[in-house]
Amino acid sequence: MYNENIDIIIPILLTRHGVPEGDRRDGYLNLLIDSIDKFTNHPYKIYVVPDVRNEEEQKLFKELQDFYKSRDDVSILKSKNTDNSHSDTRHTLKDGRVVGQCSINKSIALETGILEGKGKYICLLDSDCTFLNEWTELVLPLLKEYFFVTASFRKDYNMARDQFFIYDRERFDKENLIPDCSIGDCGGNVTKYAEKNNFEFYICKNSTHWGDQSLKEQHLLDLEGYGEQIWVDEIPFLYHYNRGSSKNDYAFKLWLKVVGDYLKNHSGKTIVSKTEKMWWNE
């Protein structure tokens, strides 16, 4: 029923969030796919689900399809979302929390990608992320013990975050469960389900607002204080810019430069040190 792939689901905004005629932001995606190609030592297929809100973004959507049409392992999907409401439209969730249309759209985009794939594993991933190291050998073994693995946990909403969130498809299918935006935000429903049923889940060591910000001193990317780094077994494997689609042109170009240089310089290398001082195994 399932193949051995990791289905990597990437919802993206094609232009700058909050700007009606925003600048292009699909550059995040190209670098992310580059990092997946370099640092994923397991079969995978990538499902990209853009949020298309206007004619300009429809053109960018077709450009993406054309750009990746030669790759069998990358699919650019049309979201099941049919609501083109503005991002400031508000919705009240089951738990009473109010979220914006962008959260609803992201939830639908994730569902679109999840239902399209047939991989054994499902990995939800924000487009303003990059892998720093081979990660599958660190993360996949955890799924034998834990219900899911998440980059971080929002204590104020008591929910796992979905910027990096991976699980075994078969286990979720048995529970008739798909991460959605019905409680808290994207992924809140599965967190509540896990806690209700006493299913343990794994929260990665992280330098997020809800994690340990003192870890920012160990960041491998010099992004002038922006973003958050994620570790497993003391090894950094992921960097998340955080609200990348909302950042101004300077911050966007900074990401392109810093991450682009990192991927160029560290292609095919693996971090072997578990100490605060990292070095590279050639």
Side-chain angles (χ1 to χ4, degrees):
M1 182 178 181
Y2 307 107
N3 58 49
E4 285 302 309
N5 284 351
I6 303 172
D7 288 339
I8 301 176
I9 318 298
I10 307 173
I12 67 167
L13 292 176
L14 295 172
T15 57
R16 186 177 174 190
H17 177 64
V19 180
E21 300 297 330
D23 297 321
R24 294 181 64 155
R25 288 295 182 263
D26 50 316
Y28 286 114
L29 175 69
N30 298 328
L31 282 180
L32 173 56
I33 291 179
D34 192 14
S35 79
I36 293 170
D37 291 341
K38 284 176 167 59
F39 295 129
T40 306
N41 187 25
H42 189 97
Y44 60 87
K45 183 161 184 177
I46 300 168
Y47 297 91
V48 180
V49 191
D51 185 14
V52 180
R53 298 167 293 178
N54 52 50
E55 290 185 6
E56 178 62 26
E57 290 178 347
Q58 182 63 38
K59 293 178 183 178
L60 296 180
F61 174 78
K62 291 180 179 178
E63 284 185 25
L64 272 184
Q65 286 185 316
D66 289 341
F67 185 78
Y68 286 106
K69 66 182 179 181
S70 64
R71 290 192 54 162
D72 293 334
D73 59 350
V74 178
S75 292
I76 311 298
L77 303 177
K78 186 174 180 60
S79 175
K80 292 169 54 180
N81 179 44
T82 58
D83 189 338
N84 291 321
S85 301
H86 295 294
S87 60
D88 58 353
T89 303
R90 315 302 286 176
H91 298 266
T92 302
L93 305 182
K94 292 178 181 179
D95 61 351
R97 199 170 89 83
V98 178
V99 299
Q101 183 66 37
C102 57
S103 291
I104 303 296
N105 292 354
K106 181 179 182 181
S107 174
I108 298 172
L110 292 174
E111 180 181 359
T112 301
I114 291 168
L115 295 178
E116 184 73 17
K118 295 294 182 183
K120 175 177 174 57
Y121 304 104
I122 296 177
C123 177
L124 312 182
L125 191 61
D126 273 11
S127 62
D128 61 336
C129 288
T130 186
F131 286 107
L132 302 169
N133 180 30
E134 203 298 312
W135 61 281
T136 61
E137 295 175 11
L138 300 170
V139 174
L140 294 186
L142 295 172
L143 295 177
K144 296 178 181 179
E145 179 179 356
Y146 297 99
F147 194 49
F148 60 78
V149 174
T150 181
S152 62
F153 191 87
R154 280 197 71 158
K155 297 176 182 177
D156 51 348
Y157 297 146
N158 191 40
M159 59 170 284
R161 297 178 75 201
D162 64 327
Q163 284 76 12
F164 173 86
F165 184 104
I166 187 168
Y167 61 91
D168 186 307
R169 182 191 290 269
E170 183 175 12
R171 189 167 183 190
F172 269 45
D173 283 356
K174 286 180 179 178
E175 307 294 336
N176 194 27
L177 193 62
I178 290 181
D180 65 26
C181 196
S182 60
I183 299 174
D185 211 324
C186 295
N189 67 317
V190 295
T191 306
K192 185 173 182 178
Y193 187 91
E195 292 178 335
K196 181 180 179 180
N197 291 277
N198 295 315
F199 294 155
E200 287 191 280
F201 50 87
Y202 185 93
I203 304 170
C204 296
K205 176 180 174 181
N206 62 83
S207 62
T208 68
H209 177 74
W210 301 276
D212 182 355
Q213 293 195 54
S214 69
L215 295 172
K216 287 184 178 292
E217 296 179 0
Q218 298 180 34
H219 281 187
L220 298 182
L221 302 181
D222 183 7
L223 288 161
E224 301 181 5
Y226 292 122
E228 48 205 35
Q229 189 164 287
I230 315 299
W231 289 256
V232 167
D233 193 23
E234 301 304 318
I235 296 177
F237 75 95
L238 187 77
Y239 201 100
H240 175 230
Y241 209 18
N242 197 8
R243 300 189 181 278
S245 62
S246 300
K247 286 184 165 51
N248 60 29
D249 283 346
Y250 173 80
F252 175 56
K253 291 176 182 178
L254 178 65
W255 176 265
L256 298 183
K257 173 69 167 61
V258 172
V259 175
D261 287 348
Y262 181 92
L263 295 177
K264 179 180 178 180
N265 294 332
H266 297 110
S267 173
K269 301 181 181 181
T270 303
I271 298 174
V272 293
S273 172
K274 295 185 180 182
T275 65
E276 290 188 11
K277 184 178 180 180
M278 300 294 173
W279 66 87
W280 293 88
N281 181 27
E282 298 289 344

